[in-house]
Amino acid sequence: VSTQSTGVSNLNQMHVYWGRCVCGLPNTVDHLLVCKRGGYVSLRRNSLRDVIAELLRHADCKDVKTEPPLLPVNGVQLPRSANTAAEARLDVSANSLSNLLERAFLDIRVFHPQARTNVAHGTIPNMYKAHENEKKLAYNARVLEVERGTFTPVVFSTTGGMGIEATKLLKRIAERTEKKTGQRYADVMGFIRKSVRFDLLNTTIITLRGERGRKVGPGKEIAELDLNLERKIT
């Protein structure tokens, strides 16, 4: 089941709830799907991270972890584009995804195609490619040289689509699940795609309907406040 057939493709036809978002920008559907107020952008990624981690466990991958810390670089020469932060983490890691003793690292991104930064890439395939390349520049060399593992950028869009690397990942998970459970590959792949797309649909709806807080005026300095509660009561 594609999210495009369940309503996500018609988001731009929905009515806007109020005139302006709490951040001050016009409260359009496109803005709601990219606004970081309320934590909904992170919610989309974190929810999908947990779904993929559970799919990896079901596929009999070993030592599946969410947000695993990366080993320190310790002087290893990496490209200038690489993320060398001491506290760097990726979204998911697992053993035995492709090879028995090889550790795979995944980093997930969900982007909105109508965002200005994405429209600049032109076509939808170019958007996926740009996001995948950005992730690879930041983490691929570090994972290969320091972790001695493999890195996969897992890119989805709010409309339910996915990039080339994400498609390969889901196919590999389906192959392992088929081998473990004995179910048909087509049935397994259908279940995986539905799990991912329904999660994207669910978090997209939450993003559109969720509260982002209220506008709060400037507060008073502590020195201006009357802290004598007894005097206020009398």
Side-chain angles (χ1 to χ4, degrees), residues 17-162:
Y17 312 119
W18 297 284
R20 286 190 174 273
C21 178
V22 294
C23 69
L25 295 176
N27 203 22
T28 64
V29 169
D30 286 337
H31 173 71
L32 290 174
L33 290 173
V34 298
C35 181
K36 295 185 179 180
R37 294 292 293 269
Y40 297 106
V41 172
S42 297
L43 171 69
R44 285 200 302 259
R45 185 199 67 233
N46 293 343
S47 181
L48 198 55
R49 173 202 65 197
D50 294 341
V51 168
I52 290 177
E54 188 59 33
L55 290 172
L56 288 169
R57 294 186 184 100
H58 189 62
D60 205 27
C61 290
K62 310 300 182 184
D63 196 22
V64 178
K65 295 180 179 178
T66 56
E67 297 195 1
L70 299 181
L71 294 173
V73 175
N74 288 340
V76 177
Q77 295 297 315
L78 297 174
R80 294 181 61 183
S81 61
N83 183 341
T84 58
E87 302 298 325
R89 294 173 178 267
L90 291 174
D91 287 324
V92 184
S93 67
N95 285 337
S96 307
L97 177 59
S98 298
N99 298 313
L100 182 61
L101 300 178
E102 188 174 65
R103 190 157 190 80
F105 290 84
L106 316 176
D107 206 45
I108 298 164
R109 174 172 292 177
V110 182
F111 73 91
H112 181 51
Q114 278 71 47
R116 291 181 181 178
T117 53
N118 293 318
V119 171
H121 294 301
T123 65
I124 297 292
N126 286 345
M127 295 179 193
Y128 287 113
K129 193 66 176 177
H131 285 288
E132 289 176 347
N133 287 341
E134 182 181 340
K135 291 286 187 184
K136 287 179 179 179
L137 287 172
Y139 294 107
N140 193 54
R142 180 167 180 174
V143 170
L144 289 174
E145 299 297 330
V146 180
E147 299 288 342
R148 301 299 180 183
T150 61
F151 175 71
T152 301
V154 188
V155 180
F156 298 89
S157 71
T158 55
T159 56
M162 66 185 76

Side-chain angles (χ1 to χ4, degrees), residues 163-195:
I164 294 175
E165 298 287 350
T167 300
K168 292 179 180 178
L169 171 68
L170 297 190
K171 287 181 177 179
R172 180 57 184 154
I173 293 175
E175 290 170 356
R176 287 190 58 87
T177 305
E178 176 193 25
K179 183 177 179 180
K180 174 189 174 183
T181 64
Q183 300 182 57
R184 293 193 312 155
Y185 175 85
D187 294 335
V188 174
M189 196 65 199
F191 170 79
I192 291 173
R193 289 182 181 275
K194 289 175 185 177
S195 298

